[in-house]
Amino acid sequence: MISAGEVHLPGRPKDIVGLKALAITAQRAFDNFRPGGVKVLAGAPVIEKGMVEQDFADLAAAGVKLLGEVGLGSVKAGDEAQQMVAWARKHGIQSTIHTGGPAIPGSGLIDKDVVLEADADVIGHINGGHTSLPEAHVCELCEKSPRHRDRAQRQRARRHRRSAGSAAAEVPAPRDPGHRRAGGLGRAAAGHAAHDGLLSSAGRHPAELVFCFATGNTARMRGLNCGLIEVGRAADFVFMDRAQHTAGRTCWRACNSATCPASAW
Ligand SMILES: [Zn+2]
């Protein structure tokens, strides 16, 4: 499971030494801790104004591989974000950018122009943050950005359909949705399966294809040793079946009608 990676705690440090220390601490903690048995990739800084290339080099050298959502800190302008994203990429750190209305206190609107200019590796919840972008802007991001997308569970089916439709049906790889999240559900693991059902039904894609968005695409994009069934890769499996009493006769048919499958890890 891949987290956006940043730690949101009361009094989150915003000075550069402090934010780097927190990111490194989180990376170490999740390296040592498997909540519910799940492997979690996390530990990322919320970038703030004043960071220089050496800060990203320091984070990379310390084992941090993710940049927290751009836009949650004081860096909100497209050109400033682009510079830091480029530094992060140069040092092997992947980046994600918040998209849509403000998220946490202190964050602001990240519109399509900022997203395109920042050029982060993943467009966070392309179908919308807490408040979705206009549908036309979602479509424009799908068409113009060569980067990967994740989607927020909490957003509307219509946005899912547009972002999934243009991403998977009209635009060739690697512009595929390979990264998702299930924020706000309080059930992250099962939430991903529920999200696949929503994406399949709203995006009008076969459920088995939607699950591939989240597994193989993510594995390739993130350089993971799981997510694909091949000799030499980690044997991390999720066993699923159709939910009890669902109308769908098979697991895939049930997912396609937006039913969350039963799962075991
Ligand atoms: Zn966000």
Side-chain angles (χ1 to χ4, degrees):
M1 186 175 296
I2 301 171
S3 167
E6 71 273 4
V7 177
H8 299 284
L9 78 171
R12 173 172 60 82
K14 297 179 180 173
D15 66 290
I16 294 168
V17 171
L19 71 88
K20 286 161 60 179
L22 182 61
I24 295 165
T25 301
Q27 187 275 329
R28 293 293 189 281
F30 280 102
D31 216 30
N32 293 329
F33 175 52
R34 292 177 58 171
V38 175
K39 296 176 182 175
V40 179
L41 301 183
V46 175
I47 57 174
E48 302 283 356
K49 286 178 179 291
M51 292 183 77
V52 297
E53 181 177 350
Q54 187 59 46
D55 294 314
F56 296 89
D58 293 344
L59 286 162
V64 172
K65 294 184 168 54
L66 302 170
L67 213 60
E69 281 187 26
V70 176
L72 298 187
S74 56
V75 177
K76 297 181 178 67
D79 56 345
E80 196 173 19
Q82 184 187 58
Q83 175 66 86
M84 293 193 186
V85 162
W87 283 331
R89 187 174 290 133
K90 178 180 174 184
H91 292 283
I93 297 175
Q94 293 188 327
S95 53
T96 301
I97 187 165
H98 176 75
T99 302
I104 61 173
S107 66
L109 168 70
I110 301 294
D111 64 18
K112 68 175 176 59
D113 295 323
V114 174
V115 173
L116 289 170
E117 187 172 7
D119 195 32
D121 295 306
V122 175
I123 301 175
H125 32 67
I126 192 170
N127 58 314
H130 290 59
T131 306
S132 299
L133 291 178
E135 192 166 324
H137 293 194
V138 172
C139 293
E140 190 173 333
L141 287 172
C142 290
E143 290 162 5
K144 290 187 176 177
S145 173
R147 303 300 179 184
H148 293 249
R149 302 111 197 224
D150 90 2
R151 297 183 184 79
Q153 169 81 25
R154 64 172 74 87
Q155 293 305 331
R156 295 177 216 157
R158 187 177 175 85
R159 299 288 195 281
H160 277 279
R161 188 171 76 238
R162 296 311 299 259
S163 58
S166 56
E170 299 163 14
V171 184
R175 299 182 182 183
D176 44 26
H179 183 99
R180 310 157 305 109
R181 68 194 290 269
L185 288 184
R187 50 172 184 148
H192 282 280
H195 195 179
D196 285 329
L198 177 60
L199 200 53
S200 173
S201 59
R204 299 173 185 169
H205 296 296
E208 59 271 37
L209 178 65
V210 170
F211 274 84
C212 293
F213 292 171
T215 52
N217 282 353
T218 303
R220 292 188 183 95
M221 187 261 169
R222 296 291 188 181
L224 306 177
N225 74 338
C226 58
L228 290 163
I229 300 175
E230 284 180 354
V231 174
R233 289 183 181 269
D236 295 345
F237 295 107
V238 177
F239 294 92
M240 297 190 306
D241 198 354
R242 61 191 286 272
Q244 193 176 25
H245 309 307
T246 181
R249 282 182 285 109
T250 66
C251 183
W252 293 139
R253 292 283 292 273
C255 286
N256 192 241
S257 58
T259 303
C260 180
S263 57
W265 301 70

